[in-house]
Every structure is written in structure tokens, then in C-alpha cells.
Amino acid sequence: MTACLLAIVILAACSTQAAQPVPLKSGVEFASADVRSLQQDDFANPGMLWVTRGAKLWLEPAGSDGKACGTCHGDANRSMKGVASRYPRIDSVSTGLINLEGRIQQCRERRQHAPLMAYESDELLALTAYVASQSRGIPVNVEIDGFHRAHFERGRAMYYQRVGQMNLACTNCHDANWSKKLGAETVSQGHGNAYPIYRLEWQAAGSLQRRFRSCLSGVRAEMFPYGAAEYLDLELYLAWRGQGLAIETPGVRR
Amino acid sequence: MYPGNGKLSHVTTDFTCRIRMLVLVAGIAVLSPRADAQSAAVTFRIEAGEIRTPLAADAGDATRGRAAAAARDGGNCQLCHALPDMQAVFAGTLAPPLHGVGARLTEGQLRLRVVDSSVVNRDTIMPAYYRVDGLRQVAAAFREKPILSAQQVEDVVAYLKTLR
């Protein structure tokens, strides 16, 4: 009994964990006014270059059958509306977890019989940005049950795991310290609802996984290769913790 | 607390935490970082919340210490702290400003905080600057190396002492 109480006291003293952010705020709310206005104006938003390129690729035949995405899916404004809000999700064929990039690659391979695009290539970023931008304003709404569950749990564990020479976990910055400044940068809640984004520092568009790599290298932790299972699990956990935030692709960041 | 299932990862954290608490209760904790070839492994003693004995033979140099504290590939303390003699625009607000810290804390307390603040506050976000064990997934370039060498720790402590 006493031992039990003591254990409870010790556990309470030891496992202080920051709560998830309330209210949920998209990353753009932490950006400076000039960055925010870039994102909000489609004519100024540099990410729109990728979206426009994606719109062109959508109509370009590829692969042995000479089919374009649009050949099967028609007008993306209608067929792709809301799709991005449900990813990452379990692929019903392989029962593995895939993100939107992976879903596009799958059509590329299985439906177009065309060569895969490299992760983080301009082509894949463009198509992903184009497809995701069809869901602008639609709330993130991923599933975490069934086959999703194990991925979700792994993603969550990773989110709370301290890593790297600086020994920090995602939660230490994005749950416990959002809105404070890390050096000159304001720490946001770390949501993925605006990805792919255009980042001024990159002078290019980049995927959510590229952002993960920035955060991992910031704490001097080992990075996983693009498309790694670890990143997919983390994407699912992140989407769930930002459930309800409206999709904003293409976001603009510093 | 996250509302939901028990997490295995936390069982292990709590276990190390309990051990650490026991060690602290006993009043003594000996950490022995294994360091890379360039910086000799230094074992030190924590007594009553201080590391009283310097980690390096040479006395700390405050000027070098300021540089090591500021360096992005060194201490990079302004990522989280404001420092009185560094540019405020680049200063983070994740941690209290270090103004006057040299008057608030003893040399031994400063040394312990630079070496491993988690001894003082288990949940701290401040990196342990002189520890290589208990870390995971460290990028290859930084593996088995403390962030600062023993001499740099002494230099930074000397610098912190000037912040009065």
C-alpha cells in the first residue's frame, strides 16, 4: 500500500508530459506578417508554381498505356477534393500505411505503368501539392483504428522519444514550448496541414518529411531515408494530433 | 499527460528516473561519460547539487567561454536563453535569461547545469553538454562525443561566472 502510494508519487513526479496544444493553431499563425501574406495570396505564393506544374503533369500522358492522371480521374477539382485530408492511410491492397506521395506513386506504378518519381523530386512535389491543394479548407480527418493502430502507436512513441545529441523529442518543442522562440524562430505546434510547403530557406518546395529531417538534424539526430516507415508512422500521428485543422497546401514558411 | 494507453517507453523512463532519484537521495551521483579521443574521459562527482572539482586541469577562460557559448556548433546557448552580452534578436525564449546567473548560482552549481541539467530537473529540455550515454539515435558525426569538451565546459563556466 505504502509502496504503491510511493510509486504513484514518484510516477507523478517523473512523467510530466506536456499536454497537446489547445487551441489547435496552424503553423501559418506563427509566421511573420510578410510570410503569412505570401501564403494567403495565390499570386504571390511561390508554392503555387509547384501547384501549377502539378496541374500540367496531371494532364500529361505517361507510361506504356499513355494515360494521364486526368484520363482516369477527370477534373481534379472534383475527384481529388478532400482526398489529402484522409492521408496517411492504410492501402487496402498491401495493408501497409501510405501517405499522399505514396498513393500518387502507386497510381504511377500500377495504373500508368510509368517509372516512379524520386521522393522530393519536383515532379512528385508538384503532383502532391496539386492534389493536396484540392482539399484546401477541408479539415484533416485521418483514421487510427484497425490496421492504422499499430502505425499510430509507433508514430506517437516516436513523437515522445528524445533523440540526438541534444536529447530532445518533438513534444519538447511542439507541445511544451510552442509560441516561444528558439533562436530567432517562433516554434509552432508542428502540424503538417500545409504541406508540401514553399520554404524561403530552401528556396524550393519541400515535403513534410523534409521538415522532419530539418527538425531531426537540428537536434543532431540520425535521419531516416525519405519514405521510411518511421516517417510514415510519424505523419499519421501528426495528422491525428492536428485533426480538424484545415488543409492549407501550399503553405509558405521562412 | 496524454489521455490514453500506457506507453512502454515511459516505463523505462520512469525506471531510470527512480534510479536517479535514489542516487540523488543518497547524495552522490557519479556519471562517467565516455568521451572521444580528443577529449579525455573525465569522471566527476556530484555533491549537494554541485560539481565542485573542475573537469580540466587548465582554469576556465571567460573569453573563450563566451565564444564557445555563442558558437552554433558549440554551446549555442542563445537558442534558448537570452545572454546579456549577445544580440537579443537571436535570443530564444525557451529558457530564462542568463542575466545575473553568475551571482545566483555557485561555480559548482553552474558546472553541474552545463554538464547535465537533467540531474537538477529530470524533464529539462536543456541538453547535457558533457554526457554521451543515455542518448539515442545520435547523428554519426556527433556520436560518442559530448557537445562541449571538458576544457570548454570550464571556459563556459568561467564565462557564466562573469554574468553578475
Side-chain angles (χ1 to χ4, degrees):
Chain A
M1 182 61 194
T2 358
C4 187
L5 275 178
L6 191 67
I8 289 169
V9 170
I10 290 176
L11 282 176
C14 287
S15 52
T16 29
Q17 207 171 72
Q20 286 189 57
V22 179
L24 286 183
K25 282 174 184 274
S26 162
V28 75
E29 296 193 44
F30 301 90
S32 59
D34 50 336
V35 168
R36 220 176 310 141
S37 59
L38 273 185
Q39 171 168 323
Q40 275 147 10
D41 176 0
D42 277 354
F43 294 100
N45 183 337
M48 287 307 290
L49 292 173
W50 275 260
V51 172
T52 310
R53 172 125 190 242
K56 267 178 70 188
L57 288 170
W58 182 262
L59 297 172
E60 248 169 49
S64 46
D65 310 342
K67 283 187 177 138
C69 314
T71 313
C72 297
H73 292 292
D75 180 1
N77 294 176
R78 295 224 325 270
S79 65
M80 292 293 131
K81 190 171 178 178
V83 168
S85 68
R86 300 191 292 268
Y87 282 78
R89 67 186 283 111
I90 293 291
D91 166 36
S92 52
V93 180
S94 67
T95 71
L97 188 70
I98 50 172
N99 58 6
L100 189 57
E101 285 87 340
R103 191 64 192 79
I104 291 169
Q105 293 276 45
Q106 224 172 52
C107 270
R108 184 94 178 156
E109 191 175 30
R110 295 189 197 153
R111 309 277 174 190
Q112 287 184 306
H113 308 290
L116 291 180
M117 297 167 276
Y119 211 104
E120 221 53 28
S121 63
D122 274 335
E123 291 75 19
L124 185 55
L125 283 167
L127 273 170
T128 308
Y130 178 60
V131 170
S133 70
Q134 309 305 330
S135 298
R136 276 209 272 186
I138 295 175
V140 173
N141 185 20
V142 288
E143 284 177 43
I144 57 168
D145 294 334
F147 282 120
H148 294 92
R149 195 76 206 180
H151 294 281
F152 172 78
E153 295 295 353
R154 280 197 294 269
R156 176 162 71 187
M158 197 173 154
Y159 187 84
Y160 285 99
Q161 178 63 58
R162 287 182 185 244
V163 294
Q165 196 190 34
M166 288 182 69
N167 200 27
L168 289 169
C170 320
T171 185
N172 294 134
C173 288
H174 295 297
D175 291 329
N177 285 297
W178 59 271
S179 85
K180 294 190 195 156
K181 282 173 71 192
L182 182 75
E185 266 191 297
T186 306
V187 180
S188 75
Q189 296 177 353
H191 297 298
N193 60 312
Y195 282 72
I197 56 152
Y198 180 88
R199 193 172 172 201
L200 299 167
E201 187 184 314
W202 296 332
Q203 303 242 330
S207 68
L208 184 55
Q209 296 196 2
R210 184 164 181 195
R211 180 65 240 189
F212 290 170
R213 293 164 65 92
S214 297
C215 287
L216 286 171
S217 89
V219 298
R220 300 180 174 180
E222 227 174 358
M223 292 183 278
F224 301 101
Y226 280 113
E230 285 85 355
Y231 286 153
L232 293 174
D233 296 347
L234 194 52
E235 279 193 40
L236 178 61
Y237 176 71
L238 227 61
W240 174 83
R241 98 184 242 291
Q243 194 92 296
L245 281 173
I247 304 249
E248 290 172 7
T249 310
V252 180
R253 298 290 183 268
R254 214 168 90 101
Chain B
M1 273 296 279
Y2 171 78
N5 323 354
K7 287 163 279 313
L8 203 61
S9 61
H10 285 98
V11 176
T12 38
T13 333
D14 288 327
F15 181 62
T16 31
C17 174
R18 248 165 288 170
I19 294 184
R20 183 167 275 168
M21 287 182 73
L22 286 177
V23 170
L24 283 181
V25 167
I28 280 180
V30 180
L31 303 176
S32 44
R34 295 159 290 149
D36 66 307
Q38 295 129 30
S39 55
V42 177
T43 311
F44 49 84
R45 250 174 122 77
I46 300 170
E47 306 166 72
E50 300 191 323
I51 300 175
R52 293 186 184 146
T53 316
L55 305 189
D58 292 346
D61 177 286
T63 310
R64 278 200 316 248
R66 184 182 181 279
R72 291 194 67 173
D73 60 350
N76 208 0
C77 314
Q78 35 340 345
L79 212 50
C80 296
H81 294 281
L83 287 147
D85 53 353
M86 295 186 196
Q87 256 186 298
V89 278
F90 299 117
T93 56
L94 264 60
L98 292 180
H99 301 61
V101 78
R104 274 199 304 284
L105 299 175
T106 64
E107 180 183 315
Q109 288 172 327
L110 290 170
R111 189 176 288 112
L112 174 58
R113 278 158 183 75
V114 175
V115 165
D116 188 355
S117 266
S118 76
V119 176
V120 183
N121 168 15
R122 176 191 168 272
D123 292 319
T124 192
I125 54 163
M126 177 159 157
Y129 283 90
Y130 198 74
R131 194 180 92 196
V132 293
D133 49 357
L135 304 177
R136 296 171 148 242
Q137 217 183 300
V138 177
F142 303 104
R143 223 167 279 159
E144 301 298 312
K145 292 177 191 139
I147 304 176
L148 298 176
S149 69
Q151 184 60 52
Q152 282 175 319
V153 168
E154 291 310 317
D155 294 345
V156 168
V157 169
Y159 163 64
L160 292 175
K161 279 167 64 186
T162 68
L163 305 181
R164 297 188 160 262

